[in-house]
Amino acid sequence: TVMSRQTLKDRNNHVLGYSDVESSGRQCLRNSNFHVIGYYDPGRNQTLDATFHVVGNGNILTTLL
């Protein structure tokens, strides 16, 4: 379940995507069409792509946009 959603916009105010915080604490990044791009798992301190492969350590979700 989504607890909160943040809309990510560029400097021209165009929507780039959405960052959802789930009840588990995991963050989910979606593009402007709401397709999942990746996840940040705070328990593992790792960013994962949409197929749950590790992209890197720490929260680097916005680099996937």
Side-chain angles (χ1 to χ4, degrees), residues 43-63:
R44 293 168 46 188
N45 192 32
Q46 290 182 322
T47 298
L48 313 164
D49 66 13
T51 58
F52 297 99
H53 291 102
V54 175
V55 175
N57 294 317
N59 186 347
I60 55 170
L61 271 180
T62 54
T63 63

Side-chain angles (χ1 to χ4, degrees), residues 5 8 15-20 22 27-39 48-51 61 64-65:
R5 171 171 286 159
L8 306 172
V15 174
L16 298 173
Y18 304 92
S19 177
D20 297 334
E22 300 172 350
Q27 243 180 302
C28 176
L29 182 69
R30 298 175 184 275
N31 66 14
S32 59
N33 295 317
F34 293 96
H35 293 109
V36 173
I37 298 174
Y39 301 94
L48 313 164
D49 66 13
T51 58
L61 271 180
L64 300 177
L65 279 176

